[in-house]
Amino acid sequence: MKNTISVRVADFLKNYPPFNELRSKDLEVLSQEIKIIYKVKDAIIFSEDEKAHEHFYVVHKGAVALLKKPNESMVDLCDEGDIFGLRPLMANEDYKMEAKAYEESILYAIPIANFRPFTKSHDGVANFLMESFASNTRNPYSIGRKGKLFQDGPEANDAPKEGSDFLDLQSVNYSKKLVTCTPNTTLKTVALSMTKKKVGAMLILNNKLPIGIITDKDIRNKIATGEFPITAKAKDIMSSPVITYPKKMTLAQAQMAMMKSGISHLCITTDGTPNSEAIGIISKHDIMLELGNNPAVLMKAIKRAGKYKKIKTVRRGIMSLLQGYLRQNIPLTLISKIITELNDACIKQVISIALEKMEEQPPVKFAWLALGSQGRSEQLLHTDQDNALIFEDVASEDLQVTKEYFLLLSKQVTQGLNAIGYEYCPADMMASNPEWCLSISEWKERTFHWITNPGRDEVLLSSIFFDFNRSYGESFLVDELTEHIFETTQKYPIFFVHLASGALQNPSPSGFFRSFLVEEDGAHKDFFDLKRRALMPLVDGARVLVLSSQIKSINNTAERFEKLAELEPNNQELFLACSYATKALLKFRTRQGLLHNDSGRFIALDTLSKEEKIKLKRTFKTIKELQELIKIRFKVANLVG
Amino acid sequence: MISFFKKKKTNYPDFWVHYVEQFQKGLPSELNEVRFVVLDTETTGFDYDNDRILSIGALSLQNGTIEVKQSFEVFLYQHFYHAKNVEIHGILKDERQERITELEALMLFLEFISNSVLVAHHAAFDVKMINEALKRHGMPGLKNKTLDTSVLYKKTLIKSPLLIPQEQYTLDHLAEKFDISTRDRHTALGDAYITAIAFLKIIQKLKSQKNFSAKRFLK
């Protein structure tokens, strides 16, 4: 019997092939037979050589990785709406790959017995399956990303080569959203439409047949140079004839074709000749994006993204880039600069999208602050979002309305950030919380209170908040607040003593015999807490030293230590060691995080090599020395005693 | 049929006796094997004495899996009606939805839930509404173990001086935090589905806490 849930399931499926080929009645009936399965991250859905289940799967939420032995290389990553585990059912085989939840996921399990009749009665369904099996892609009709973002870095070819062959032979995904015009369209219209749709090329169609193409380059070379007047028509400057290809071509073929003819766009037609209907276009950008591994391409993709979901896809590309960099042992300072830049761009884009979604423009100027690790540019992996918002002062009668506007905006942004992979802050330290969305005067008052009443909570709040960094909006608001904080701390130096004592609160990394201290209970029993026991003492130490030395606008912990080394020649050695330790630990954490697809905070010691353990222990010595220095400099003992 | 209304204990209707018998079996000790029934009721209002159930939606959840076929959705005939509630639930009294009597609904519901663990958001309200309906037909209250997602959710929140917990967390709040689509909100089965997904995510969070035990969880 049809019910609310089956209708909900059907409503989702009807948007994705091959279910879009089914009549809505049939889909309703099929939806009633479905099971909805919740899988936590890393849960196995089926393993290699396991006997095929009675149903295949569609990803409703989250993502599922398909992995292949011997080294668990990722063959495919299935997103919302993607099908997996169908081929073995059709071919009566065992599973050839392992399917594992890449994120927390909700799956629809569709019984093959109920689905099989459609593969016979509906040509569209049958064709889809044929094509997807033949082309070895899960969804031959998909546009945009898809393909493999997980190509190995150039030097890392100890990994099996089949991965990259697989990629080259993968059929190319072309954009089906054609931007076209007629031969008599004026160039101004062409340029406006290209700008609006954010594309680099426009097809000129005559009765659906492609007769020419205009790219950015044509406009530059032929109009801006004065060769043609701005009043010219599309047909005057278009490149003709168009180079056309059939839709079944591989990535490698597409790349070759572009290189051969020195062009950046290929037109796809029904039969591959210019005498049939144009159905799509492949740009060099599309191909670059599929190959991933290029910050410039990723950056462009972020700026083009009009939806949160698109950014999420790009972020996976960023992760694979990071992985490649680490494998190539590129210095962490450089890695974190690039990755932070890309992450910042993602956040900016989320805020721009959120602003567009708002009905009105912001009533006054504002700034969006990243706090914590994001503010310190130390966030390489997906972690929680910590953020805050400052807006300009308004008349007291307008404060309520203004705040409501920014809270609404912040809610949009935090939801967007959540959608692209930043978990909500468990302590609700986000701009969507009225406590963290304040006018500049309110912020000044708040920070003044923290500094002059340094209780336990106030010190904790300060240590999180004082690493703020602007990610969007007006910098004068941020500067004003920074200035205020420095002035206030100078007037109330006792604050530093409290901040310093807070910095010494972190538990020690090693025990009496220099053995690692591991967690004693909880979900991470017997794991080493890298963040709390090793990174935090360095981060907290750097903060109090930098604040008390009145060093402004350096947020990154390693850079803070470098600056301190410069200012205090007699402690130079220690501070440089601290800077090195911070980088080493961060790199360590990032590696561990990528390995386990988590935040890298907790480390299973038995998975470390002896060399890694020694490296780790060496940083502990530095941490101890740093803590001694802080204890003496701020006379923390007095306070405790 | 008259016997339904006699209040003598020995004369409970067969379906009730059958329902009670189910409890002779204990619950499995493994959380994966326990069958949860996640439910929600839509009512004419919040007054236990005067308001009535308009619809019950419930689904069965076992080992992280919801079978669409195994869901329960009934709409009831009720004479008592508040116009203002129609706005919330969108259930119109004369909307052409197949309707059954309260007694039929209770019979089907007891059959569906059996001895499963009940889960609902603000469970006390739904259970009380159902118990009042049972009472009107001469039966004692539900015997199932009950879990409340609003209470469980509070347990997932970290203890931090920076986080001031609220008194109440609405289903909308949970849906937002867990990124669950709120379409079908304010239909009984739609709300039950949102509750179910939130419940799965809550269990996951609780499991990662110190000293989690399935036994205590189900107590």
Side-chain angles (χ1 to χ4, degrees):
Chain A
M1 206 183 76
K2 171 176 150 184
N3 64 43
T4 310
I5 297 178
S6 72
V7 173
R8 189 176 174 139
V9 170
D11 255 5
F12 174 81
L13 290 178
K14 71 163 192 258
N15 299 316
Y16 298 95
F19 306 104
N20 56 355
E21 303 278 350
L22 302 185
R23 276 196 306 271
S24 61
K25 248 214 181 100
D26 291 335
L27 192 54
E28 255 167 35
V29 175
L30 182 65
S31 297
Q32 288 160 30
E33 305 300 324
I34 282 170
K35 282 188 205 175
I36 302 169
I37 301 175
Y38 170 82
K39 289 281 175 192
V40 296
K41 188 170 145 266
D42 292 333
I44 308 280
I45 296 135
F46 52 73
S47 27
E48 207 171 316
D49 299 329
E50 187 178 326
K51 229 176 131 39
H53 299 170
E54 276 165 12
H55 31 252
F56 62 99
Y57 300 89
V58 176
V59 181
H60 170 54
K61 284 239 153 169
V64 169
L66 299 180
L67 309 165
K68 189 117 182 76
K69 277 177 190 164
N71 46 5
E72 301 256 298
S73 57
M74 179 156 7
V75 178
D76 205 349
L77 190 62
C78 301
D79 244 333
E80 284 170 27
D82 288 335
I83 292 180
F84 66 94
L86 176 58
R87 193 176 181 169
L89 301 188
M90 300 304 283
N92 276 325
E93 290 169 344
D94 294 343
Y95 290 115
K96 289 276 196 300
M97 294 173 200
E98 177 185 275
K100 189 163 145 182
Y102 185 75
E103 303 166 357
E104 177 185 51
S105 301
I106 296 173
L107 312 174
Y108 291 162
I110 303 175
I112 187 68
N114 299 78
F115 182 72
R116 207 186 289 271
F118 298 118
T119 61
K120 296 188 179 118
S121 60
H122 287 66
D123 287 345
V125 175
N127 286 344
F128 172 85
L129 297 178
M130 290 280 283
E131 286 202 35
S132 62
F133 294 160
S135 62
N136 226 348
T137 54
R138 110 185 73 74
N139 182 349
Y141 305 153
S142 67
I143 32 168
R145 180 197 68 99
K146 304 301 163 179
K148 268 189 42 169
L149 285 166
F150 297 90
Q151 194 189 26
D152 286 322
E155 64 22 285
N157 277 341
D158 43 351
K161 284 231 169 96
E162 61 182 61
S164 50
D165 289 348
F166 184 85
L167 174 73
D168 288 344
L169 295 177
Q170 179 150 5
S171 75
V172 74
N173 296 297
Y174 55 91
S175 167
K176 287 204 289 185
K177 280 188 197 136
L178 280 180
V179 183
T180 63
C181 68
T182 63
N184 286 322
T185 312
T186 63
L187 277 167
K188 193 174 169 187
T189 316
V190 170
L192 283 173
S193 153
M194 281 167 70
T195 308
K196 192 172 160 228
K197 302 267 169 61
K198 293 183 188 153
V199 293
M202 179 111 144
L203 266 184
I204 291 85
L205 299 186
N206 199 1
N207 290 329
K208 291 189 177 173
L209 301 183
I211 58 161
I213 188 165
I214 295 178
T215 64
D216 282 341
K217 208 167 157 189
D218 292 319
I219 294 176
R220 184 180 74 217
N221 290 349
K222 295 176 186 163
I223 305 296
T225 53
E227 192 181 327
F228 287 89
I230 183 82
T231 50
K233 301 269 169 62
K235 63 180 177 199
D236 300 331
I237 73 155
M238 69 188 184
S239 308
S240 187
V242 189
I243 314 239
T244 57
Y245 282 91
K247 66 179 177 187
K248 266 194 195 152
M249 71 187 310
T250 62
L251 266 179
Q253 282 173 323
Q255 261 181 314
M256 284 301 289
M258 286 184 190
M259 278 198 295
K260 213 165 64 187
S261 343
I263 50 172
S264 56
H265 294 81
L266 300 179
C267 177
I268 306 292
T269 60
T270 328
D271 69 2
T273 71
N275 304 321
S276 60
E277 195 181 328
I279 51 172
I281 199 159
I282 304 174
S283 70
K284 215 177 213 164
H285 172 81
D286 293 338
I287 291 188
M288 294 288 270
L289 194 59
E290 294 214 12
L291 295 169
N293 287 15
N294 180 332
V297 175
L298 291 170
M299 189 61 102
K300 205 163 165 190
I302 294 168
K303 291 194 173 151
R304 271 189 190 183
K307 281 186 187 151
Y308 299 143
K309 241 180 122 176
K310 279 252 155 81
I311 305 180
K312 186 178 179 186
T313 317
V314 181
R315 273 178 64 89
R316 288 202 188 119
I318 299 177
M319 283 302 120
S320 89
L321 186 69
L322 175 60
Q323 212 151 12
Y325 283 167
L326 284 173
R327 211 180 290 134
Q328 291 166 52
N329 232 341
I330 291 172
L332 189 81
T333 330
L334 189 64
I335 299 181
S336 68
K337 280 235 163 74
I338 295 171
I339 301 297
T340 306
E341 203 68 39
L342 288 168
N343 280 343
D344 273 0
C346 289
I347 295 175
K348 279 203 180 82
Q349 192 64 20
V350 166
I351 299 174
S352 313
I353 297 172
L355 276 168
E356 263 168 44
K357 284 191 178 180
M358 297 292 288
E359 277 165 19
E360 288 164 49
Q361 294 289 314
V364 290
K365 289 183 174 141
F366 72 99
W368 184 272
L369 303 180
L371 310 177
S373 60
Q374 179 78 28
R376 289 191 302 272
S377 313
E378 283 162 13
Q379 192 177 64
L380 297 179
L381 299 167
H382 299 214
T383 50
D384 297 344
Q385 43 171 310
D386 300 309
N387 43 49
L389 191 143
I390 319 177
F391 55 88
E392 268 184 312
D393 282 328
V394 291
S396 58
E397 64 264 29
D398 296 334
L399 185 62
Q400 191 63 24
V401 189
T402 313
K403 187 167 280 188
E404 269 162 27
Y405 175 89
F406 284 114
L407 279 172
L408 204 65
L409 173 69
S410 303
K411 207 167 177 182
Q412 277 285 353
V413 177
T414 50
Q415 273 173 10
L417 290 173
N418 186 257
I420 70 166
Y422 288 101
E423 294 284 318
Y424 288 119
C425 170
D428 207 17
M429 204 176 296
M430 298 183 289
S432 52
N433 177 347
E435 298 285 310
W436 296 89
C437 179
L438 303 174
S439 74
I440 179 80
S441 298
E442 288 175 312
W443 271 122
K444 282 183 184 171
E445 234 170 84
R446 176 78 47 101
T447 47
F448 182 84
H449 175 81
W450 291 342
I451 295 166
T452 52
N453 299 284
R456 187 182 256 270
D457 295 352
E458 286 77 12
V459 168
L460 182 61
L461 287 162
S462 313
S463 61
I464 297 162
F465 186 75
F466 286 3
D467 290 335
F468 61 78
N469 201 355
R470 181 181 68 102
S471 26
Y472 191 96
E474 303 296 325
S475 50
F476 76 90
L477 289 167
V478 186
D479 297 342
E480 203 177 319
L481 186 60
T482 311
E483 199 59 45
H484 168 79
I485 289 172
F486 274 98
E487 272 171 29
T488 318
T489 50
Q490 224 169 9
K491 279 186 220 149
Y492 298 89
I494 185 77
F495 172 72
F496 292 124
V497 181
H498 290 273
L499 199 58
S501 106
L504 299 175
Q505 298 294 313
N506 293 298
S508 164
S510 54
F512 189 70
F513 295 106
R514 299 204 18 190
S515 55
F516 288 92
L517 285 179
V518 293
E519 302 311 296
E520 279 166 0
D521 48 19
H524 299 286
K525 191 168 180 297
D526 296 330
F527 279 73
F528 180 72
D529 187 342
L530 186 75
K531 180 184 170 190
R532 217 158 57 102
R533 289 185 189 269
L535 266 170
M536 286 322 281
L538 289 165
V539 170
D540 288 343
R543 184 184 308 109
V544 62
L545 288 167
V546 155
L547 274 175
S548 65
S549 311
Q550 299 276 312
I551 301 169
K552 276 174 219 171
S553 65
I554 299 181
N555 275 4
N556 186 273
T557 303
E559 285 175 27
R560 279 174 168 174
F561 280 122
E562 275 156 34
K563 185 78 189 168
L564 287 163
E566 203 180 298
L567 293 176
E568 299 180 27
N570 51 338
N571 289 320
Q572 192 177 36
E573 204 178 327
L574 171 61
F575 288 146
L576 286 180
C578 288
S579 169
Y580 177 80
T582 310
K583 285 190 265 188
L585 287 167
L586 211 54
K587 200 166 187 172
F588 206 83
R589 178 176 178 184
T590 310
R591 275 224 174 92
Q592 288 285 323
L594 282 173
L595 206 60
H596 302 112
N597 185 21
D598 61 14
S599 73
R601 175 173 172 174
F602 294 97
I603 291 176
L605 288 171
D606 46 8
T607 63
L608 299 186
S609 69
K610 189 154 189 211
E611 192 196 339
E612 287 172 314
K613 279 188 196 166
I614 292 172
K615 260 193 184 164
L616 208 54
K617 275 190 181 164
R618 209 175 292 149
T619 66
F620 297 167
K621 201 171 146 249
T622 312
I623 294 171
K624 263 203 173 116
E625 284 172 19
L626 175 72
Q627 292 189 324
E628 282 305 312
L629 178 123
I630 290 175
K631 217 180 269 176
I632 295 164
R633 177 168 301 183
F634 296 98
K635 303 188 183 64
V636 175
N638 291 352
L639 185 83
V640 179
Chain B
M1 291 297 265
I2 309 277
S3 64
F4 287 11
F5 301 100
K6 284 191 182 164
K7 297 234 163 159
K8 264 177 35 197
K9 259 190 183 168
T10 43
N11 267 338
Y12 288 133
D14 289 349
F15 71 85
W16 178 265
V17 175
H18 177 73
Y19 163 70
V20 172
E21 275 167 10
Q22 304 305 311
F23 287 86
Q24 286 163 6
K25 296 173 267 178
L27 288 176
S29 58
E30 286 296 318
L31 216 49
N32 283 346
E33 292 164 20
V34 178
R35 179 178 185 253
F36 296 97
V37 167
V38 189
L39 70 115
D40 183 61
T41 58
E42 300 299 324
T43 62
T44 56
F46 300 107
D47 180 356
Y48 295 129
D49 292 330
N50 291 318
D51 281 307
R52 294 288 186 269
I53 299 170
L54 288 172
S55 103
I56 307 175
L59 52 87
S60 130
L61 181 70
Q62 201 164 14
N63 192 16
T65 303
I66 299 165
E67 277 203 48
V68 175
K69 227 187 330 189
Q70 268 214 43
S71 36
F72 179 88
E73 189 170 38
V74 293
F75 298 88
L76 282 64
Y77 287 116
Q78 295 293 3
H79 297 293
F80 185 86
Y81 224 82
H82 277 315
K84 62 175 189 213
N85 263 301
V86 175
E87 283 171 35
I88 303 179
H89 306 313
I91 301 176
L92 280 168
K93 198 179 167 193
D94 291 317
E95 198 182 324
R96 261 180 292 157
Q97 192 67 263
E98 203 186 314
R99 291 183 180 278
I100 56 175
T101 63
E102 190 170 83
L103 186 61
E104 280 171 312
L106 291 171
M107 280 172 72
L108 291 171
F109 181 68
L110 292 181
E111 171 78 32
F112 181 75
I113 63 171
S114 184
N115 69 339
S116 306
V117 177
L118 301 183
V119 180
H121 196 71
H122 297 138
F125 173 77
D126 299 283
V127 169
K128 177 90 173 149
M129 271 330 261
I130 293 167
N131 283 345
E132 287 298 318
L134 285 167
K135 207 161 96 187
R136 280 194 289 279
H137 296 282
M139 281 168 281
L142 293 173
K143 297 172 66 67
N144 304 63
K145 284 188 175 154
T146 308
L147 295 171
D148 185 340
T149 41
S150 75
V151 175
L152 293 175
Y153 175 70
K154 275 194 203 172
K155 291 189 190 161
T156 67
L157 299 175
I158 57 160
K159 289 194 181 54
S160 157
L162 314 178
L163 184 72
I164 304 123
Q166 290 169 27
E167 198 62 31
Q168 293 283 352
Y169 288 97
T170 60
L171 191 56
D172 286 315
H173 177 91
L174 265 61
E176 194 189 311
K177 283 295 163 200
F178 293 131
D179 190 24
I180 308 167
S181 150
T182 48
R183 67 164 279 189
D184 308 322
R185 181 87 173 86
H186 300 302
T187 67
L189 191 53
D191 281 0
Y193 180 76
I194 296 169
T195 310
I197 300 295
F199 177 65
L200 286 167
K201 298 198 179 203
I202 288 170
I203 296 188
Q204 206 41 47
K205 287 209 158 182
L206 291 177
K207 268 189 188 166
S208 68
Q209 285 180 355
K210 293 177 192 176
N211 314 321
F212 176 84
S213 102
K215 216 171 173 184
R216 203 150 358 110
F217 178 71
L218 292 174
K219 211 159 81 175

